[in-house]
Amino acid sequence: MEDEPDTVDFQCTSIHYTIAQNVFNRLVEMENDEAGNMQILPSLAKSWEISDDGREYTFHLQEAVEFSNGKPLTASDVQFTFERLLTHPDSCNSDIVDIIVGAGELESGETDHLEGFRILDDLNFVITIEQPFEAFLACLSMPGASILDQESTMAAGDLFGKDPKWTIGTGSFVLRKWTPGEGMLLTANQHCWMGIPKCEGLDLRFVNDAREIRRMFENGEIDVLDLDELGNAAEFFLHGSEYQDRLFSVPRIGITYIAINESIEPLSDVRVRKAMQMAINRPVLLAAVYGGRGQIENGIFPHGLYGYNPDLPEIPYDPEAAKELLAKAGLEDGFDLTVSVNSASTRWELQVLEMAKSMWDEVGIRAKIKVIDESDFMSKRKNGELACYTAQWMADFNDPDNFIYTFFGNSHNTTYRSLCYSDEKVMKRIQQARVISDSKERIKEYQDLERIIVQEDAAWIPLYSRTRYYVTSERLQGIQASWNGSVKNKYCEMSIISDEE
């Protein structure tokens, strides 16, 4: 693992999902079929029916599912999960279920229960949403919608997500040990309702030094080597003959971007934001940092995502035009800009920003990179206080709503990520687009909004999506990736050939 999380409470993080994906389950899961089309598959919910008006979902839970502490899964656990998602003071994933009837009233404290959740019996319940929403089931496949054990989670209090003893799920593995500064140990859930995983467990190490990671892999201490963590040393594994039969590559459905905070001067001026876009030579960034392994993006929706628009105009690299825009904005002498970096970021993310800084310097934008402790970074970002930073967003479900609504769907979402986008009309259109029942019409509206936000308003700087490469140890079998390119939620399918075999 690249960095140590402050919590694995998946309701309160948007970046640390390894535990959610392996220790917990959702009501449904998502995969692509052979044609690449999205499929919603049963998980804890074995089946469901949707009313003719698209607002009422009746779910039927699997029988005899138990949490790893032996407690049976019931509809009350699902209700508790969704109500906690809306009421926890540190929740950052409430938008997964905020379309359920009564979510707003529960979130604001006007009531103590979720009106749109009705329990029929222990295994059956009905969810009523405010308006039809095509991607609702897909939302429920997100890591943040993983189902909790009500009893142990309430007893845990603040220890949930921080103490293995209280982090209880129904998934393939059980979180046994968390050694600060070192790693986590997960063991196979021998009573998992899906069957026992193919390996005995997962030994997750917190290591972010490229040389140490390479040494550990070459010494047989790591079974899955993520080449993203090796920088230039990745070329040795990519092109060396020794590892060709152990290379595994997959496109990641996600985007690396630079966020721009419109509430901080002079970033409120669209000419300044466009100048920042045009000053960045994105192909050079991708080539220098990741060896060109990826694709340049020009919008919000990356390659491979349902709704991706291949016809978006390319954002040009034009430093002279950028200077002219700054002059028209009254900034002939440029301006000072603070660019924040999460202390938990990889050195490759820092390298991207250092190169972007030098490009901005050429047009008069005097960027200063400031490394901030992770907890402080997240707090400032949530409060809309960061002027500029870089990050990546990986698809949690295969729908453009997961991108455009997450970042620009309302004032809370856009402030939460320090974008502070100000166009109320666009945000209103995004909310209205969610309930368009005709798929083609909904996608067209999302694409029109994407063009306005990125191409006209220059509300953020899209950089690239990347191809992810892994190298496996000689003893590893069964590596595979899910629909979005992640291998983390497929660990239960991987196995180890022991020396005895």
Side-chain angles (χ1 to χ4, degrees), residues 23-25 44 65-68 168-172 189 192-194:
V23 177
F24 294 83
N25 297 117
L44 293 178
V65 174
E66 293 185 350
F67 290 91
S68 59
I168 305 297
T170 58
S172 297
N189 182 355
C192 182
W193 64 279
M194 299 180 294

Side-chain angles (χ1 to χ4, degrees), residues 254-255 297-302 305 308 312 393 400 402-405 407-408 430 446 449-451 453-454 460 462:
I255 188 169
E297 301 292 351
N298 292 296
I300 299 171
F301 312 138
L305 184 76
Y308 167 72
L312 270 179
W393 182 258
N402 184 224
F403 286 71
I404 198 165
Y405 183 78
F407 289 91
F408 300 100
I430 293 172
Y446 276 151
L449 291 163
E450 174 189 37
R451 179 183 52 77
I453 292 169
V454 179
W460 77 345

Side-chain angles (χ1 to χ4, degrees), residues 156-171:
D158 292 340
L159 293 178
F160 177 78
K162 296 184 178 180
D163 185 336
K165 175 184 176 182
W166 297 106
T167 307
I168 305 297
T170 58

Side-chain angles (χ1 to χ4, degrees), residues 51-68:
S51 62
D52 291 341
D53 66 0
R55 293 186 56 222
E56 193 171 275
Y57 291 71
T58 303
F59 290 94
H60 312 287
L61 294 175
Q62 305 272 4
E63 294 91 352
V65 174
E66 293 185 350
F67 290 91
S68 59

Side-chain angles (χ1 to χ4, degrees), residues 174-464:
V174 178
L175 178 58
R176 293 293 184 193
K177 187 177 182 182
W178 182 346
T179 305
E182 293 184 18
M184 294 178 178
L185 182 67
L186 282 65
T187 57
N189 182 355
Q190 299 294 328
H191 305 289
C192 182
W193 64 279
M194 299 180 294
I196 303 173
K198 295 179 180 178
C199 60
E200 294 181 16
L202 307 175
D203 182 2
L204 306 175
R205 307 287 183 87
F206 306 137
V207 186
N208 55 24
D209 179 83
R211 287 174 296 182
E212 176 65 6
I213 292 171
R214 179 175 177 176
R215 182 199 67 76
M216 291 174 71
F217 179 75
E218 292 179 333
N219 284 353
E221 299 173 43
I222 294 177
D223 290 297
V224 182
L225 176 67
D226 184 350
L227 293 189
D228 267 9
E229 304 309 317
L230 294 191
N232 293 335
E235 303 301 321
F236 171 77
F237 294 93
L238 283 169
H239 305 299
S241 58
E242 182 180 351
Y243 297 98
Q244 290 305 303
D245 61 342
R246 290 192 269 145
L247 272 177
F248 179 77
S249 67
V250 61
R252 297 294 304 271
I253 301 181
I255 188 169
T256 300
Y257 64 93
I258 296 176
I260 312 171
N261 191 331
E262 292 188 21
S263 70
I264 296 176
E265 298 293 340
L267 305 181
S268 58
D269 191 320
V270 66
R271 295 169 295 188
V272 173
R273 299 194 301 272
K274 284 188 175 182
M276 291 179 68
Q277 281 186 341
M278 298 171 74
I280 300 294
N281 191 331
R282 296 172 302 147
V284 166
L285 282 183
L286 182 60
V289 181
Y290 293 108
R293 298 184 293 276
Q295 302 184 81
I296 300 301
E297 301 292 351
N298 292 296
I300 299 171
F301 312 138
H303 286 73
L305 184 76
Y306 173 54
Y308 167 72
N309 184 3
D311 298 322
L312 270 179
E314 181 180 350
I315 297 173
Y317 168 58
D318 193 338
E320 293 305 314
K323 291 177 185 177
E324 292 175 9
L325 283 171
L326 289 176
K328 289 178 181 177
L331 297 169
E332 296 89 346
D333 298 326
F335 66 96
D336 297 319
L337 173 69
T338 299
V339 182
S340 301
V341 179
N342 186 339
S343 62
S345 298
T346 66
R347 63 172 176 163
W348 321 122
E349 292 172 298
L350 183 58
Q351 187 178 349
V352 167
L353 276 183
E354 288 173 342
M355 293 185 67
K357 173 189 180 319
S358 66
M359 293 171 185
W360 281 329
D361 283 342
E362 291 181 15
V363 302
I365 301 172
R366 297 177 293 277
K368 177 184 178 183
I369 297 177
K370 184 178 181 181
V371 179
I372 305 175
D373 176 74
E374 182 177 22
S375 60
D376 193 27
F377 178 94
M378 297 303 293
S379 175
K380 288 181 180 296
R381 197 195 73 174
K382 292 176 183 179
N383 293 325
E385 299 172 8
L386 300 182
C388 182
Y389 65 92
T390 189
Q392 61 176 339
W393 182 258
M394 309 310 299
D396 292 317
F397 61 95
N398 194 4
D399 193 277
D401 181 83
N402 184 224
F403 286 71
I404 198 165
Y405 183 78
T406 298
F407 289 91
F408 300 100
N410 53 48
S411 58
H412 171 269
N413 286 5
T414 191
T415 300
Y416 186 86
R417 288 174 171 79
S418 280
L419 292 161
C420 300
Y421 185 64
S422 58
D423 194 325
E424 295 285 348
K425 291 182 179 178
V426 169
M427 288 189 278
K428 185 67 174 178
R429 283 178 62 184
I430 293 172
Q431 294 163 27
Q432 293 170 341
R434 303 185 93 198
V435 302
I436 296 174
S437 57
D438 183 275
S439 298
K440 290 183 179 179
E441 183 183 344
R442 185 171 70 97
I443 294 302
K444 182 182 182 304
E445 175 68 350
Y446 276 151
Q447 290 179 345
D448 287 346
L449 291 163
E450 174 189 37
R451 179 183 52 77
I452 293 170
I453 292 169
V454 179
Q455 301 278 330
E456 295 182 15
D457 294 343
W460 77 345
I461 304 174
L463 297 179
Y464 41 75

